[in-house]
Amino acid sequence: MNGITTSLLAQITGERSGVTGHDLPQNEEQVPLLSFKFINNRRKSVHSPFRRSIMLGRNLLVDVLAAVFGVGAWVAVNGLWVELPLLVEKLPEGWNLPSYLSVIIQIANIGPIAYSVLIAFRPGLRPAPVVYGVLAVGCVASLAMSMLWDKTSWVGGMQHSTALLLLVFLLALVDCTSSVLFMPYMAVWRKIYLPSYLIGEGLSGLLPALVALAQGVGGNSKCMNITIWNITEEGNTTYIDVEPVSLSPRFTVTVFFYILMSMMIASALAFTLLELLPNIKNERAIPPSNSESVAALEASHSNTQLMSTLESRKQDTGMSSQLYWIMLAGQAWACSLTNGALPSIQSYSCGAYGNVAYHLAVTLSSLANPLAALVTLVLPRARAWLLLVLGTFGSLVAGYILATAALSPNPPLMGTKAGEALVVLAWVVFTGVMTYVRVEIANQMREEGARALFWCGAVTQAGSAIGAITTFVLVNVYNLFTPYYPC
């Protein structure tokens, strides 16, 4: 859930979707031999100018492989969030599990930090071998998650999902590192293929949400009478206890994790084909003549091109110093809510309204996330006052969400259809509005140059970490939130 918006910030370091004149061949003879051979064998049929502008000089195989490769960026973490309605019922952390996940994901940001340090000491390092390693870790961790997610052990006198928490860290390490690794790798290829990769990144949030919607949660928990046998010295006695019995989803958590693993494997295979297929080598930014030129190309493009391009194309947007810092503060605030604080208490906010409401809030807000980011690509830049209004509105909705969590186990309109619909709507609206604000602020910071973009990324991580850690302490140390028990 919080992963996709983090990865979307990488989008601002690339060009907007579309085919530039530089990328398009100027005449028929300049079309690569292996790219759309039918162009050199013109058909008599007339194609529209739009279709020619989109398809000319492209290799659909590279588009497909780039999109599938992008799916591996955040699919694991996003899959965990949408599966939480089932996980919190089966694991010992219960409703506190989201707060654990939020902190672990923030800790996993040591991955991109370590990679950045590595690049600083080895500026000529090719990204491809590192991508291989990262994807291998993701595939192995996904397989282990499918088999060990429900294994627990005792730590400090308490039972914990040690296997799941450790594997979440490894998967989050992969996903966080992808934000600084996968995009630079795509700079090796012609710019017309960058939108295909970004589509794949969007699908890394969309596909798990759709799978979770198909899975369902099997309805709300029901209370059933359970006969308990008690063997004593005087003889056997029985008594009746009432326990919640959850209805079964269409397929199990284990099957869901195997589906996520298949997506990671598909991403790894797509990357391997991008690297090894000989008939797409000419789709790289500069056709390589030997192995040395390939190494130099990948090192120069992936490690320096993005930042140098930003600096060289910096535009004078006229943003005042006051507005500059207000934007950064707004970004930190929005990220603290969307990536840290509210995801940690989503179980408390939605749980009392039933498993179905919780499930819909998680999955539909995950769908709203990439859709809101897409809106920033098609609409013109938003004015500062509009971002302020939307940020204030999103914060008010966040206040309602916080109130539902704080008032658990008796939140407003509990036990009514209106209450269930309202909490789901609140999560969807909050996610959509705040995602739009975050990505739009990042887009405007991009226009201020590389330094502004750096600080935007810094406050993004700082705000997310502060929100996650603060909420973790409130939930697990001070126990300020009370879970709902249906029986």
Side-chain angles (χ1 to χ4, degrees):
M1 180 177 177
N2 56 2
I4 184 64
T5 47
T6 303
S7 66
L8 283 168
L9 293 178
Q11 174 182 318
I12 62 179
T13 64
E15 298 299 320
R16 281 181 174 265
S17 302
V19 182
T20 65
H22 175 74
D23 292 313
L24 287 174
Q26 299 302 314
N27 54 59
E28 189 174 349
E29 286 71 29
Q30 289 178 300
V31 179
L33 179 63
L34 297 176
S35 301
F36 288 92
K37 294 182 179 179
F38 65 85
I39 297 178
N40 292 321
N41 300 316
R42 287 185 176 178
R43 297 179 179 178
K44 294 184 178 180
S45 60
V46 178
H47 300 284
S48 68
F50 175 78
R51 181 176 178 181
R52 286 200 300 269
S53 67
I54 294 298
M55 303 304 296
L56 189 62
R58 303 182 73 96
N59 188 320
L60 279 179
L61 180 59
V62 179
D63 283 306
V64 173
L65 293 177
V68 177
F69 170 52
V71 169
W74 281 94
V75 69
V77 168
N78 288 323
L80 283 166
W81 283 111
V82 297
E83 195 67 359
L84 279 176
L86 294 176
L87 293 177
V88 296
E89 287 199 344
K90 300 177 182 297
L91 297 177
E93 289 80 9
W95 285 20
N96 293 351
L97 182 61
S99 63
Y100 280 89
L101 297 186
S102 294
V103 170
I104 290 173
I105 292 171
Q106 297 307 317
I107 295 174
N109 279 300
I110 64 173
I113 294 174
Y115 178 71
S116 300
V117 173
L118 178 63
I119 291 301
F121 284 98
R122 296 187 59 186
L125 179 66
R126 296 178 62 224
V130 185
V131 176
Y132 272 123
V134 167
L135 289 174
V137 172
C139 292
V140 173
S142 297
L143 175 61
M145 179 73 80
S146 304
M147 299 185 295
L148 304 175
W149 68 271
D150 57 347
K151 305 300 179 184
T152 62
S153 59
W154 291 90
V155 178
M158 298 181 63
Q159 198 174 18
H160 283 286
S161 310
T162 47
L164 179 134
L165 296 178
L166 175 61
L167 292 170
V168 166
F169 173 76
L170 293 178
L171 292 173
L173 196 67
V174 170
D175 291 0
C176 292
T177 307
S178 73
S179 296
V180 297
L181 182 59
F182 289 8
M183 276 281 292
Y185 170 78
M186 286 306 300
V188 174
W189 299 89
R190 296 169 59 204
K191 289 188 294 184
I192 59 174
Y193 298 115
L194 181 59
S196 300
Y197 168 81
L198 294 175
I199 290 173
E201 271 201 352
L203 291 176
S204 71
L206 182 64
L207 292 178
L210 294 177
V211 173
L213 281 174
Q215 180 188 26
V217 289
N220 294 321
S221 298
K222 295 183 178 181
C223 297
M224 297 184 65
N225 294 332
I226 305 296
T227 302
I228 305 297
W229 290 86
N230 186 23
I231 302 177
T232 63
E233 295 181 356
E234 291 79 11
N236 296 337
T237 60
T238 62
Y239 62 94
I240 304 298
D241 192 14
V242 179
E243 294 184 2
V245 178
S246 297
L247 301 178
S248 299
R250 294 183 182 90
F251 50 88
T252 64
V253 173
T254 300
V255 173
F256 179 86
F257 281 135
Y258 274 120
I259 294 175
L260 291 185
M261 182 194 69
S262 68
M263 295 181 189
M264 281 299 305
I265 293 175
S267 176
L269 289 176
F271 173 76
T272 303
L273 292 176
L274 283 172
E275 279 291 292
L276 300 182
L277 284 181
N279 62 334
I280 61 173
K281 293 292 185 182
N282 62 332
E283 294 299 317
R284 299 194 177 214
I286 300 176
S289 58
N290 52 54
S291 59
E292 288 75 20
S293 65
V294 174
L297 169 69
E298 292 187 351
S300 62
H301 275 72
S302 52
N303 299 324
T304 61
Q305 184 190 44
L306 293 178
M307 296 305 291
S308 64
T309 300
L310 287 172
E311 199 66 55
S312 64
R313 296 185 180 182
K314 178 179 178 181
Q315 303 175 4
D316 183 13
T317 60
M319 184 180 293
S320 65
S321 176
Q322 182 181 12
L323 180 58
Y324 180 90
W325 291 109
I326 290 176
M327 287 283 194
L328 291 180
Q331 185 77 340
W333 170 251
C335 291
S336 68
L337 293 177
T338 58
N339 284 354
L342 293 194
S344 301
I345 59 172
Q346 190 169 27
S347 54
Y348 292 95
S349 171
C350 304
Y353 294 100
N355 295 342
V356 174
Y358 187 9
H359 173 69
L360 290 176
V362 171
T363 53
L364 295 182
S365 60
S366 294
L367 294 176
N369 202 313
L371 293 178
L374 180 62
V375 169
T376 67
L377 296 178
V378 298
L379 293 182
R381 294 278 75 87
R383 296 184 179 274
W385 67 264
L386 178 59
L387 294 178
L388 178 62
V389 170
L390 291 176
T392 302
F393 174 69
S395 299
L396 293 176
V397 178
Y400 175 78
I401 292 174
L402 181 61
T404 59
L407 295 175
S408 176
N410 297 298
L413 301 176
M414 176 185 169
T416 66
K417 294 295 183 182
E420 296 176 16
L422 189 57
V423 74
V424 173
L425 180 63
W427 274 99
V428 173
V429 170
F430 164 77
T431 304
V433 169
M434 298 305 274
T435 296
Y436 175 83
V437 170
R438 291 178 53 199
V439 178
E440 186 61 22
I441 289 176
N443 278 326
Q444 297 194 21
M445 286 293 151
R446 173 186 180 272
E447 296 172 357
E448 288 296 303
R451 184 175 180 83
L453 194 59
F454 168 80
W455 283 111
C456 183
V459 299
T460 294
Q461 297 302 327
S464 302
I466 292 172
I469 294 172
T470 301
T471 311
F472 180 86
V473 172
L474 296 178
V475 171
N476 296 281
V477 178
Y478 292 102
N479 298 314
L480 294 184
F481 298 90
T482 305
Y484 167 77
Y485 297 101
C487 303

